[in-house]
Amino acid sequence: MISALMPNYNRANIAFTHGQGAWLFGDDGRQYLDFGAGIATSSLGHGHKHLATAIAEQAAKVIHVSNLYRVPQAERLAARYVAASFADSVFFCNSGAEANEGLVKAIRKAQSDAGHPERTRIICFEGAFHGRTLAMISATGNAKYLAGFGKPVEGFDHVPFNNLNAVRAAITAETAGILVEPVQGEGGVRPADPDFLRGLRAACDEFGLFLGFDEVQTGMGRSGRLFAHEWAGVEPDVLSSAKGIGGGFPMAAVLAKEQVAKALVPGSHGTTYGGGPLACAAGNAVLDVILADGFMDQVNDTAAYLRAGLERLVAEHSGIFTEVRGLGLLLGLKCTVPNGDAQAAALAEGLLTVAAGDNVLRLAPPLIIGRAECDAALELLGNTASKRALAQAETVAK
Ligand SMILES: *Cc1c(COP(=O)(O)O)cnc(C)c1O
């Protein structure tokens, strides 16, 4: 008989009762070091006082009012993003896929408003991930996610990642914009070449297209900057953010330049929960932490320390791990063994990680970790690799 919860996930047989910082406590009585952060989402770790208090206090006042009224928490949060980023205006919603839907709608509508209703197509990339709605599995373009769901939604063209010539060749009179992740997260923690991102900006300017960055996974401090594109020194016209934005509270945002944002006139787009008082209280609390003096320096210091340790791990266990890749605290270990096996072996050692595409083991710890947590994770990864190596040696011996 089917389980009461629909069977659409492969869950490890472990549940967590509570957490503190980068640690989660299992109902098996063990403690686990969380280097997955709920898929790059629990950016402040677990049991964070400031975040938990902000949510509890807001919940006691008012949880939801709808967008029929002003929401001061949302006005404040939007103004803070505008002050801290390329954006002129912000739309709040509830998930990464929903933010990307809003981003694509805003690009199409802005082209239409500019006198180009024929410009509806978006150039996307092989290895991308943009979410699970019907339109976003089409934007993702991965056959595995499309299978069985009928004809893909029209309007998305795919070209190889990091290949500017392919992008320029794919631009037609119907192209409205480009959507790219500055680091492909699900696709295998593959960073875009900074020159490639600069080339996309130039192509958009040349052909009158809008440049969209999907920073659902790379944004909100994960890369060591508020947004990962800042490392390349280019600005998008529109950007989607989610995952870490609420520190684990469900929330997302579309940030845009005025030319794109102004296309979303009253009645053109909306969402019932988006930008509610509770989510925005969480969002403001997260920003209090990541915009505080020195926090991003700490993230970059920790990221460099972790990366150096991972390079040593790869050198010591080259039979298991062959490469470190990524940016900031979004890092990947390319595996020789199946990455799902490596993930399960790490879990058995007490370390939570997340598998990604291209046979990569992804590490996306809470941004609040320090060197001590890195040392602990590196030791657990070393143990994991040793046991794998032993298991393999055993297999060979038999
Ligand atoms: C996770 C993710 C999404 C989808 O976010 P959901 O909240 O699951 O809808 C979209 N884009 C990227 C880059 C992601 O990592």
Side-chain angles (χ1 to χ4, degrees):
M1 209 179 68
I2 193 169
S3 55
L5 268 177
M6 277 199 195
N8 60 312
Y9 299 109
N10 271 319
R11 300 173 192 270
N13 187 21
I14 172 91
F16 302 105
T17 54
H18 61 291
Q20 193 54 57
W23 295 90
L24 276 170
F25 298 86
D27 59 2
D28 57 357
R30 293 180 64 193
Q31 69 180 58
Y32 294 82
L33 183 55
D34 187 5
F35 266 48
I39 317 185
T41 293
S42 307
S43 48
L44 304 190
H46 307 284
H48 194 281
K49 271 269 164 5
H50 183 62
L51 176 61
T53 305
I55 291 171
E57 285 181 353
Q58 184 58 49
K61 286 181 193 159
V62 61
I63 292 175
H64 174 77
V65 294
S66 88
N67 288 302
L68 296 171
Y69 312 101
R70 286 182 51 195
V71 180
Q73 297 84 351
E75 290 173 5
R76 172 162 178 255
L77 186 56
R80 295 176 80 188
Y81 288 145
V82 165
S85 76
F86 74 97
D88 299 320
S89 196
V90 182
F91 169 79
F92 291 115
C93 50
N94 308 286
S95 73
E98 191 188 1
N100 282 328
E101 292 268 348
L103 176 150
V104 169
K105 282 179 71 178
I107 286 178
R108 286 188 178 189
K109 183 70 161 40
Q111 288 287 9
S112 178
D113 289 355
H116 292 290
E118 76 286 0
R119 292 190 184 172
T120 57
R121 305 191 68 85
I122 307 290
I123 294 175
C124 301
F125 295 90
E126 292 168 9
F129 184 77
H130 300 301
R132 298 289 199 153
T133 60
L134 282 171
M136 286 309 123
I137 55 175
S138 300
T140 294
N142 183 330
K144 204 174 76 186
Y145 300 142
L146 285 160
F149 295 112
K151 250 170 68 178
V153 171
E154 253 303 287
F156 301 97
D157 300 310
H158 291 87
V159 300
F161 189 54
N162 274 333
N163 185 332
L164 194 58
N165 288 335
V167 174
R168 295 181 65 92
I171 294 170
T172 71
E174 290 182 9
T175 304
I178 297 172
L179 177 58
V180 67
E181 297 157 82
V183 180
Q184 287 190 336
E186 303 304 307
V189 194
R190 301 198 301 166
D193 193 325
D195 275 337
F196 175 66
L197 294 180
R198 288 190 279 268
L200 293 181
R201 178 71 270 170
C204 284
D205 293 343
E206 183 179 341
F207 293 98
L209 314 179
F210 293 117
L211 180 58
F213 286 156
D214 180 342
E215 293 230 28
V216 167
Q217 188 154 166
T218 54
M220 291 299 148
R222 177 132 312 265
S223 74
R225 297 280 189 97
L226 184 60
F227 293 111
H229 68 260
E230 294 168 22
W231 289 112
V234 288
E235 292 188 343
D237 298 295
V238 57
L239 173 151
S240 54
S241 176
K243 291 204 163 85
I245 191 172
F249 195 91
M251 182 178 184
V254 180
L255 282 68
K257 292 274 200 196
E258 181 169 1
Q259 201 189 351
V260 172
K262 73 181 184 197
L264 296 184
V265 295
S268 64
H269 191 56
T271 182
T272 299
Y273 292 124
L278 191 54
C280 290
N284 273 306
V286 168
L287 266 197
D288 291 341
V289 175
I290 67 176
L291 292 184
D293 258 359
F295 184 80
M296 223 50 99
D297 294 337
Q298 159 83 21
V299 169
N300 283 307
D301 179 77
T302 307
Y305 185 78
L306 178 59
R307 191 171 188 126
L310 291 172
E311 299 284 2
R312 284 196 303 278
L313 180 86
V314 167
E316 275 167 37
H317 299 281
S318 55
I320 306 286
F321 303 122
T322 57
E323 184 196 336
V324 185
R325 49 168 88 159
L327 191 61
L329 284 175
L330 179 58
L331 293 167
L333 288 168
K334 174 93 173 158
C335 302
T336 58
V337 298
N339 59 351
D341 292 359
Q343 182 186 358
L347 175 68
E349 293 298 323
L351 180 70
L352 307 182
T353 61
V354 192
D358 202 24
N359 206 35
V360 162
L361 189 67
R362 181 174 18 169
L363 304 174
L367 306 182
I368 47 102
I369 62 162
R371 294 183 172 203
E373 287 87 350
C374 294
D375 288 339
L378 289 164
E379 189 181 336
L380 294 171
L381 281 168
N383 296 347
T384 303
S386 301
K387 294 222 171 127
R388 284 287 328 180
L390 286 176
Q392 276 193 330
E394 249 172 24
T395 323
V396 173
K398 279 177 195 161

